[in-house]
Amino acid sequence: MQNNPIQERIDTLYNKWKSAINKKDVKIVRILSEHDEQDMIASFFKYLLDVEGQQEEFVFVLNSPFSTLESFGNELIKEIEEEVNNWNKATMPDDIPFEKIEWNPNYTIDNKKNHAQLFVSNVNSFAKYLFPAKGTKVCFIILMDEADKKEAYQWFSSVLDLNIEPHIVFGVTDTKDFKLYDKLADTFHKEVFTLVPNLDMDGATESLAAMGDMNKPNDKFRMHLVKLMNAVKNRKPNLVDINAKECLTIATKEVEKDPNWLAQIVTIYTILYNDQIGYKDYKKAIFFASKATEAALLTVNLLNDDISYRLVGQTHIGLGSLHSLRGNWNDALQNFVVAKEAYIKCEDFLMQIESFRLCGWAAAEKGDVKLANQYYIEGYQLYPNLSQEIAVNSTFPYIVKKLMYNNDREKIISNIQMNKDMTTLFGEDWKEIVDSYGKINSVA
């Protein structure tokens, strides 16, 4: 029987954690992880909170968002008090030892020279109440995501300036992308221990995928798909080629029995063309994007219209965008038009707006202003189908902006009519809403 790679990593991380909290002089354990390890760290905290587990420490995970240096400690103590009350009111199974916690915080503590005094004094008294012999570690994991580096340093340096019970340890999370606690770790090198998980999440996902039945096409495809995505992320072109070919071989064979595999072929070619964009090899990217459109077109009349036409729309927008990067505006426009027609057929108004915008943009770039206006007007005429939420969160304001001061538009849509339409959709300040579009949003 194969071992669960996730549980193995949880166990390894727990052993590192256990070692860290028991190191001499350590008061803060900083878990410094990779971005893709965040979900695993969250799972690890849940593991630490498991009341049926065999952990040798008492753990609180505190989620209060950081507010100010002066109020943060008070909010953390309130959270602990709430958790204690929840514990006391909880109904536990008979086989789990249960005792009420007869502890109450003291909110009268004040130290104007150190804003962490109320927090430290209360966790000290709480830890002494729970384990007066001080033989069990009491761990408070503080998730200080809302703070900046200066605030994080000021808060915890104030904590470390105070007397902390010997069996208390604080845990904090950090990422290699941000390094919130670098200065704290450098300043308090004895009190702050940096734990680096090294969880190898790519390996974990590949191991999980490999646990399937390799005689089943779905399981084998999933394994190679995971390996393909990891290879793309880690810029390993040889592994990209190997696993993409494996995926395509499986999907091509299975599509003869089940046309739904065409969607998987689209997925693989989409991954491949996005990979080539990363290398700025637009010629190869266009080749793979073309393959994606071919596979998408084959789904028409084989898959549900809602699925097939969305695939056609998505792939042609992708291919059209690649042509636009190379200045091939005729090719770009042709693909955007196919996308527009596909989204009309599956009645996706949000993507219809975007495809009309792209058609107008490509037509304008190739010098056909009249055709561009035609597409913008067609896009504008979708407004009766739009809620204000969809309109504001789409590129519809861009289309309106292109038509607002357009004399040719007035022959088809008068200023009076536009004002009536847009007031109904956006309200009286519709011109301000439209004028501000593009100053915040990024549009091609």
Side-chain angles (χ1 to χ4, degrees):
M1 182 177 178
Q2 290 175 296
N3 293 328
N4 185 321
I6 301 301
Q7 187 58 51
E8 286 178 350
R9 282 160 174 78
I10 290 287
D11 292 341
T12 299
L13 181 53
Y14 176 65
N15 289 331
K16 289 184 176 182
W17 164 263
K18 184 178 174 183
S19 173
I21 64 174
N22 286 294
K23 288 184 181 296
K24 183 182 178 182
D25 298 325
V26 168
K27 302 309 295 180
I28 297 175
V29 175
R30 170 203 192 197
I31 301 177
L32 181 63
S33 59
E34 301 286 354
H35 178 73
D36 67 355
E37 294 174 340
Q38 298 307 295
D39 288 344
M40 183 66 81
I41 301 302
S43 297
F44 172 65
F45 292 154
K46 290 179 181 177
Y47 171 80
L48 290 178
L49 292 171
D50 182 4
V51 295
E52 297 184 56
Q54 301 301 311
Q55 296 88 281
E56 299 173 5
E57 63 280 333
F58 193 89
V59 177
F60 266 78
V61 178
L62 303 177
N63 294 286
S64 295
F66 178 80
S67 47
T68 66
L69 293 169
E70 291 73 26
S71 64
F72 188 48
N74 184 286
E75 288 156 9
L76 292 174
I77 296 303
K78 283 182 178 178
E79 185 178 354
I80 294 172
E81 182 182 24
E82 183 179 348
E83 288 300 314
V84 168
N85 290 334
N86 290 338
W87 169 268
N88 288 337
K89 294 175 184 176
T91 303
M92 292 290 180
D94 293 337
D95 58 339
I96 296 179
F98 175 78
E99 289 183 17
K100 278 196 171 184
I101 298 175
E102 304 291 347
W103 172 85
N104 292 297
N106 180 356
Y107 291 104
T108 66
I109 297 166
D110 187 25
N111 182 344
K112 297 189 182 303
K113 293 182 179 179
N114 190 317
H115 40 250
Q117 182 72 66
L118 182 143
F119 172 73
V120 172
S121 294
N122 276 287
V123 294
N124 278 343
S125 72
F126 186 43
K128 285 191 289 185
Y129 169 84
L130 291 173
F131 303 101
K134 305 181 182 181
T136 298
K137 291 290 184 181
V138 182
C139 306
F140 298 93
I141 296 168
I142 299 174
L143 305 178
M144 208 171 177
D145 298 337
E146 302 297 323
D148 60 29
K149 293 181 180 182
K150 182 179 178 181
E151 291 166 330
Y153 176 79
Q154 288 178 320
W155 166 255
F156 277 107
S157 61
S158 296
V159 169
L160 293 173
D161 281 342
L162 298 168
N163 292 322
I164 301 168
E165 286 293 325
H167 58 314
I168 289 178
V169 177
F170 302 107
V172 296
T173 59
D174 208 350
T175 63
K176 292 181 180 179
D177 293 333
F178 189 49
K179 295 185 177 178
L180 185 65
Y181 299 104
D182 258 7
K183 183 178 179 181
L184 189 74
D186 290 341
T187 305
F188 300 92
H189 57 276
K190 287 184 179 180
E191 294 86 352
V192 180
F193 178 82
T194 298
L195 187 164
V196 181
N198 290 327
L199 297 175
D200 181 22
M201 294 311 299
D202 289 350
T205 55
E206 289 183 16
S207 296
L208 274 176
M211 291 175 72
D213 184 348
M214 292 303 107
N215 292 316
K216 294 181 179 179
N218 281 324
D219 288 352
K220 190 174 182 181
F221 179 87
R222 189 180 302 110
M223 179 190 73
H224 286 292
L225 178 60
V226 169
K227 289 185 175 182
L228 170 61
M229 294 172 71
N230 286 340
V232 168
K233 183 180 75 172
N234 296 312
R235 294 294 184 96
K236 295 183 177 179
N238 290 338
L239 291 178
V240 169
D241 290 343
I242 291 169
N243 288 288
K245 287 175 183 176
E246 290 286 350
C247 286
L248 290 171
T249 298
I250 296 166
T252 302
K253 182 179 178 181
E254 294 303 313
V255 80
E256 297 174 6
K257 296 177 280 185
D258 182 359
N260 284 293
W261 280 91
L262 284 167
Q264 301 291 10
I265 294 174
V266 171
T267 297
I268 300 306
Y269 281 124
T270 300
I271 291 171
L272 290 174
Y273 85 68
N274 278 300
D275 182 42
Q276 293 306 313
I277 291 173
Y279 293 106
K280 296 187 178 180
D281 190 336
Y282 299 122
K283 185 176 180 180
K284 276 188 180 179
I286 286 173
F287 171 78
F288 289 128
S290 298
K291 289 291 185 182
T293 62
E294 291 171 12
L297 288 167
L298 290 174
T299 67
V300 176
N301 298 324
L302 290 176
L303 303 185
N304 181 283
D305 283 355
D306 191 55
I307 295 172
S308 63
Y309 286 117
R310 286 178 196 279
L311 287 172
V312 172
Q314 290 164 10
T315 54
H316 281 84
I317 281 182
L319 181 55
S321 298
L322 285 167
H323 280 302
S324 72
L325 288 172
R326 304 192 78 189
N328 300 331
W329 294 108
N330 284 321
D331 291 333
L333 179 57
Q334 288 175 15
N335 280 280
F336 294 148
V337 169
V338 174
K340 168 180 70 71
E341 295 301 322
Y343 286 123
I344 289 173
K345 288 177 179 176
C346 66
E347 297 184 347
D348 186 332
F349 293 111
L350 183 66
M351 291 309 298
Q352 281 182 56
I353 292 166
E354 176 61 3
S355 55
F356 274 115
R357 179 193 75 82
L358 289 168
C359 287
W361 171 55
E365 289 293 332
K366 80 184 194 77
D368 195 334
V369 176
K370 185 176 180 181
L371 182 60
N373 288 339
Q374 178 183 320
Y375 286 126
Y376 289 139
I377 289 170
E378 287 183 66
Y380 173 91
Q381 289 170 337
L382 290 170
Y383 84 88
N385 301 295
L386 310 179
S387 65
Q388 185 178 34
E389 183 181 4
I390 289 178
V392 170
N393 293 298
S394 69
T395 49
F396 186 72
Y398 175 93
I399 290 176
V400 179
K401 194 172 184 177
K402 283 292 183 181
L403 295 172
M404 273 177 66
Y405 308 110
N406 188 313
N407 293 329
D408 291 337
R409 178 267 304 163
E410 293 181 36
K411 299 172 185 176
I412 300 172
I413 306 167
S414 69
N415 289 333
I416 294 174
Q417 185 64 47
M418 175 173 273
N419 185 62
K420 180 181 177 182
D421 296 341
M422 295 302 98
T423 299
T424 301
L425 186 58
F426 292 116
E428 294 293 337
D429 59 346
W430 71 269
K431 287 186 178 180
E432 287 75 12
I433 292 173
V434 170
D435 270 329
S436 66
Y437 189 86
K439 296 173 183 178
I440 300 174
N441 302 289
S442 176
V443 181

